[in-house]
């Protein structure tokens, strides 16, 4: 399932694949300069006043690929439900 999340303040609408088996949300960021990232909608943390930069890095390998990035806290909402 794919849903549009509103992320940050002011909200940026970002489509995400819903994964009920994870407590995390992976967002495509403008910090990724690869074509595979830039060809999709990207989250821009510099445009949000509610981002909490935790300074934590993540590097996870999956069977289908790898993700690298940052772990941060941000406000999100889905279908009117706001999560701080």
């Amino acid at each position: 399932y794919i849903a549009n999340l509103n992320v940050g303040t002011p909200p940026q609408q970002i489509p995400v694949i819903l994964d009920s088996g994870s407590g995390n949300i992976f967002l495509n960021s403008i910090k990724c300069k690869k074509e595979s990232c830039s060809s999709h909608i990207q989250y821009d943390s510099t445009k949000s006043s509610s981002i909490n930069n935790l300074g934590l890095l993540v590097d996870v390998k999956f069977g289908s690929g790898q993700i690298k990035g940052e772990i941060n806290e941000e406000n999100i909402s889905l279908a009117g439900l706001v999560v701080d």
Side-chain angles (χ1 to χ4, degrees), residues 13-82:
Q13 192 173 80
I14 311 289
V16 297
I17 297 172
L18 298 176
D19 178 3
S20 61
S22 175
N24 300 308
I25 298 171
F26 299 119
L27 296 177
N28 182 25
S29 169
I30 64 161
K31 293 180 181 181
C32 179
K33 303 303 180 190
K34 294 182 179 182
E35 184 181 349
S36 58
C37 295
S38 62
S39 63
H40 298 280
I41 295 172
Q42 295 177 290
Y43 167 71
D44 185 350
S45 62
T46 66
K47 293 183 178 179
S48 177
S49 63
S50 55
I51 183 76
N52 182 14
N53 292 302
L54 298 176
L56 302 171
L57 301 178
V58 63
D59 185 348
V60 181
K61 294 180 181 176
F62 297 97
S64 59
Q66 180 177 12
I67 62 162
K68 291 183 180 184
E70 303 171 358
I71 298 175
N72 296 305
E73 294 176 333
E74 180 61 283
N75 295 339
I76 62 168
S77 67
L78 173 64
L81 176 65
V82 177

